[in-house]
């Protein structure tokens, strides 16, 4: 891109990107002091604060908005690509076929149950799809991927991301309190956490309360759910393409808004995610590269989540998000129950 074209873009996006990076640094600094609180949750919380404190609300809604929206969309996709380096198919397959089928069942049933509940409470189809995706697979990353596949507006991802982040944070406090009353071993608790908590960072924060054995199995179970992001995104993309073909056949412009243009079934960043899963699984990435990639991914996702959180106005959320909150709580209870059942069967 020529400099004379790049300079206006930097001027437009710069304030929001700088604000996102600064907030990300603050989130990680707070996380260092309070390790139990995931940096991703802090990033969303800081975004919410910035959007609702009079002094910063003007900035996030005005000059910084283009850069914040860029962070919420494009940095999120870059973070999803790097997420692939955390997934080793060897670890996933090491769980055994029974565990894999149970985890897939938890994802599919929680997805369908959440979507059905959302439609029952008359949420729009797009909101129902995003909430179901985020709660059943891997939180904000899954929401970003599904929104891209179905070409759902960036603004419509804000509420689902806020809900899945807040409910995941709720799990950090609630699940450890239930471990001993339910008579769970550390391994069972880890499997339950991995099968039912949304974001990877939230899984780590929850499972580590029960020790290293719980944490080890929780991460593997969670990353097994992450793997399902690709086939579910591909299925949604194929369905979207069928809808577009039908609309064009009826002489109606497709949801892409451009006649004659057929988007890929699987977006490029999901292909990148799968490619990096292969790189990790084949052992082509040295440990130092994995550590660097993990740090960069955390920074990208935290910046993206701040950008998304900064678009949430509490007043609007109270007026328009009541039914969505009920769906989120119902989904949280559903996947927690399903995950508990799966964990008890997996580890006896």
């Amino acid at each position: 891109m020529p400099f004379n074209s790049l300079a206006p873009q930097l001027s437009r996006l710069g304030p929001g990107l700088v604000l996102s990076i600064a907030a990300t640094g603050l989130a990680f600094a707070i996380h260092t002091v309070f390790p139990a609180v995931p940096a991703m949750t802090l990033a969303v919380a800081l975004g919410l604060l910035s959007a609702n404190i009079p002094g910063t609300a003007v900035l996030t809604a005005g000059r910084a908005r283009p850069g914040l929206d860029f962070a919420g969309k494009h940095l999120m996709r870059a973070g999803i690509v790097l997420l692939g380096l955390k997934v080793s198919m060897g670890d996933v397959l090491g769980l055994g076929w029974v565990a894999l089928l149970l985890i897939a069942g938890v994802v599919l049933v929680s997805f369908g149950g959440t979507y059905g509940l959302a439609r029952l409470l008359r949420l729009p189809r797009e909101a129902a799809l995003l909430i179901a995706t985020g709660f059943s697979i891997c939180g904000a990353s899954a929401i970003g991927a599904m929104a891209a596949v179905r070409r759902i507006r960036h603004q419509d991802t804000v509420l689902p991301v806020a809900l899945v982040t807040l409910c995941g944070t709720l799990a950090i406090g609630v699940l450890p309190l239930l471990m001993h009353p339910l008579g769970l071993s550390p391994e069972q608790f880890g499997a339950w956490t991995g099968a039912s908590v949304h974001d990877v960072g939230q899984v780590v924060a929850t499972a580590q309360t029960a020790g290293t054995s719980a944490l080890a199995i929780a991460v593997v179970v969670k990353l097994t759910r992450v793997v399902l992001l690709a086939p579910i995104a591909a299925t949604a993309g194929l369905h979207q393409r069928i809808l577009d073909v039908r609309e064009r056949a009826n002489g109606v412009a497709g949801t892409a808004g451009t006649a004659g243009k057929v988007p890929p079934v699987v977006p490029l960043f999901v292909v990148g995610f799968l490619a990096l899963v292969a790189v990790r699984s084949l052992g082509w990435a040295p440990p130092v590269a994995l550590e660097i990639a993990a740090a960069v991914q955390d920074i990208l996702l935290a910046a993206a989540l701040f950008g998304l959180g900064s678009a949430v106005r509490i007043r609007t959320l109270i007026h328009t998000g009541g039914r969505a909150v009920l769906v989120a709580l119902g989904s949280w209870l559903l996947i927690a129950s399903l995950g508990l059942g799966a964990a008890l069967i997996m580890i006896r």
Side-chain angles (χ1 to χ4, degrees):
M1 181 182 292
F3 179 76
N4 57 356
S5 299
L6 182 61
Q9 281 288 88
L10 291 175
S11 177
R12 186 174 70 90
L13 300 178
L17 289 175
V18 170
L19 183 59
S20 293
I21 296 301
T24 297
L26 179 58
F28 278 101
I30 298 173
H31 171 67
T32 301
V33 179
F34 302 102
V37 185
M40 305 304 150
T41 300
L42 290 167
V44 173
L46 290 173
L48 288 167
L49 286 174
S50 71
N52 294 279
I53 295 176
T56 56
V58 175
L59 177 62
T60 58
R63 189 181 175 199
R65 192 70 256 155
L68 293 171
D69 287 340
F70 180 92
K73 181 177 181 180
H74 296 287
L75 298 188
M76 173 67 75
R77 295 183 183 185
I80 293 171
V81 172
L82 291 177
L83 181 61
L85 285 176
K86 291 186 176 180
V87 182
S88 169
M89 291 306 297
D91 292 339
V92 170
L93 295 176
L95 290 173
W97 289 107
V98 172
L100 293 178
L101 290 173
L102 285 169
I103 295 167
V106 169
V107 170
L108 293 175
V109 175
S110 60
F111 182 95
T114 300
Y115 185 84
L117 177 61
R119 295 299 291 151
L120 183 65
L121 292 181
R122 299 181 182 179
L123 290 189
R125 292 184 185 277
E126 293 81 2
L129 181 62
L130 293 181
I131 292 173
T133 304
F135 275 77
S136 63
I137 305 176
C138 56
S141 301
I143 290 171
M146 183 60 74
V149 170
R150 297 304 296 259
R151 298 190 297 287
I152 297 172
R153 295 184 310 163
H154 170 69
Q155 300 94 309
D156 294 334
T157 68
V158 171
L159 178 58
V161 166
L163 291 174
V164 78
T165 303
L166 293 175
C167 285
T169 304
L170 181 63
I172 297 172
V174 173
L175 264 60
L177 298 178
L178 298 176
M179 177 180 170
H180 293 299
L182 292 173
L184 301 178
S185 68
E187 292 76 14
Q188 288 173 326
F189 179 75
W192 181 30
T193 300
S196 58
V197 180
H198 315 307
D199 178 77
V200 176
Q202 294 165 344
V203 167
V204 171
T206 306
Q208 68 185 2
T209 61
T212 55
S213 61
L215 180 59
I217 191 169
V219 170
V220 176
V221 171
K222 173 59 192 173
L223 293 178
T224 303
R225 288 168 60 200
V226 172
V227 171
L228 295 174
L229 174 62
I232 288 178
T235 301
L238 180 60
H239 182 251
Q240 183 64 54
R241 175 173 286 193
I242 292 171
L243 293 177
D244 289 345
V245 169
R246 287 178 179 173
E247 288 178 342
R248 279 193 295 275
N250 294 327
V252 180
T255 50
T258 55
K261 183 178 179 181
V262 180
V265 172
V266 181
L268 186 60
F269 70 91
V270 177
V271 175
F273 165 80
L274 290 173
L276 292 190
V277 170
V279 168
R280 172 64 186 267
S281 301
L282 294 170
W284 291 349
V288 65
L290 295 177
E291 291 179 7
I292 293 172
V296 172
Q297 187 232 355
D298 286 344
I299 292 170
L300 290 172
L301 289 183
L305 289 172
F306 175 81
L308 290 169
S310 69
V312 179
R313 301 296 184 270
I314 297 299
R315 184 178 302 174
T316 303
L317 185 63
I318 291 173
H319 287 300
T320 64
R323 286 175 296 169
V325 170
L326 289 177
V327 171
L329 292 174
S331 179
W332 183 68
L333 291 172
L334 173 63
I335 196 170
S337 301
L338 292 171
L340 177 60
L344 292 175
I345 295 173
M346 277 190 280
I347 301 173
R348 301 187 180 187

